Amino acid sequence: MKIYQISWFPIIAFMVAGLTFLVLCFTDIKGIPKHLFVFCIGLLFSLVFLVYSFYLFRKRVQGKGFYWDEDGIVIDFKGNKVFWDEIEDIRFLKEEVESQQ
């Protein structure tokens, strides 16, 4: 059984987004009292992105990930599993969007 770890892309993307929001919050330090609501929302978003990136990084370091075995597929980091007999159909759908002219 091979465990597929979290990719580095979402970890780095969430970290960059969080740091970007954090830097943008503090670009106009003198204007923070005038735009306190925007500052708080930006700070909240930056903290959410940063905390989630560290959470994903910690799960990657712990070796937790997604895997499957003869019983079913583990769908999250807590070990919750969807059993093969519960899955009705697995299929690949490719839909093309037609452009309007």
Side-chain angles (χ1 to χ4, degrees):
M1 167 174 51
K2 182 176 179 184
I3 295 178
Y4 294 92
Q5 293 181 338
I6 297 259
S7 173
W8 279 106
F9 178 74
I11 296 171
I12 292 173
F14 281 122
M15 194 169 292
V16 167
L19 290 174
T20 302
F21 273 112
L22 193 61
V23 167
L24 288 176
C25 284
F26 291 104
T27 54
D28 184 20
I29 293 178
K30 293 180 181 178
I32 288 175
K34 288 190 266 182
H35 306 288
L36 188 60
F37 180 73
V38 174
F39 173 75
C40 291
I41 295 297
L43 196 61
L44 178 73
F45 273 112
S46 68
L47 290 177
V48 167
F49 285 135
L50 286 172
V51 166
Y52 191 63
S53 69
F54 287 120
Y55 170 77
L56 292 177
F57 177 71
R58 190 179 69 190
K59 291 299 177 183
R60 181 178 172 89
V61 169
Q62 289 175 353
K64 294 189 176 185
F66 304 101
Y67 62 90
W68 60 86
D69 56 10
E70 59 276 348
D71 294 333
I73 303 170
V74 174
I75 57 171
D76 62 5
F77 296 126
K78 296 178 184 176
N80 294 325
K81 187 179 279 192
V82 175
F83 295 100
W84 292 116
D85 58 351
E86 295 175 345
I87 300 173
E88 293 179 9
D89 190 17
I90 298 175
R91 46 188 177 155
F92 175 71
L93 297 175
K94 182 177 179 182
E95 298 178 14
E96 295 183 22
V97 177
E98 294 185 26
S99 63
Q100 296 179 359
Q101 296 179 358

